[in-house]
């Protein structure tokens, strides 16, 4: 079953820069100054990689406008609410062997 646009938008999104591909055009800074700044050589610096939902359309536009496709927007899988640990529960512990027979 395919994910709807609303379901995809509900997931967390993070920005990433492929610095090997980036030529420092600066369009990402012009279109998304809330999340992207420039270093002293004119290359992007991510102020905060996680994209808030209200900036998602702007992040998509910045990614699409990058002339060398160096800016990327990745979805981060978020666990379903029933898979989150609850308070007071701990993960099962595994026995640790130190190489000594017991």
């Amino acid at each position: 079953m395919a994910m709807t646009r609303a379901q995809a938008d509900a997931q967390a999104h993070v920005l990433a820069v492929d610095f090997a591909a980036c030529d420092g055009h600066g369009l990402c800074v012009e279109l998304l100054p809330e999340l992207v700044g420039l270093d002293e050589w004119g290359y992007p610096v991510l102020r905060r990689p996680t994209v808030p939902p209200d900036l998602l359309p702007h992040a998509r536009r910045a990614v699409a406008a990058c002339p060398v496709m160096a800016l990327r927007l990745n979805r981060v899988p978020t666990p379903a609410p029933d898979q989150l640990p609850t308070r007071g529960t701990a993960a099962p512990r595994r026995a640790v062997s130190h190489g000594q027979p017991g």
Side-chain angles (χ1 to χ4, degrees), residues 7-99:
Q7 289 170 326
D9 287 349
Q11 290 185 329
H13 289 78
V14 293
L15 285 173
V17 178
D18 179 354
F19 290 103
C22 183
D23 287 338
H25 291 275
L27 286 174
C28 53
V29 177
E30 294 292 323
L31 295 172
L32 197 57
E34 299 89 349
L35 300 179
V36 184
L38 292 178
D39 67 11
E40 60 261 24
W41 297 285
Y43 287 90
V45 175
L46 298 177
R47 294 181 178 147
R48 185 176 61 173
T50 304
V51 180
D54 59 321
L55 292 178
L56 191 54
H58 301 288
R60 285 193 175 115
R61 187 172 57 223
V63 167
C66 181
V68 293
M69 296 186 292
L71 187 64
R72 304 217 171 96
L73 185 62
N74 301 312
R75 280 194 300 247
V76 178
T78 54
D82 62 337
Q83 294 176 343
L84 292 173
T86 57
R87 193 176 174 135
T89 61
R93 297 185 68 131
R94 291 189 283 161
V96 178
S97 172
H98 296 286

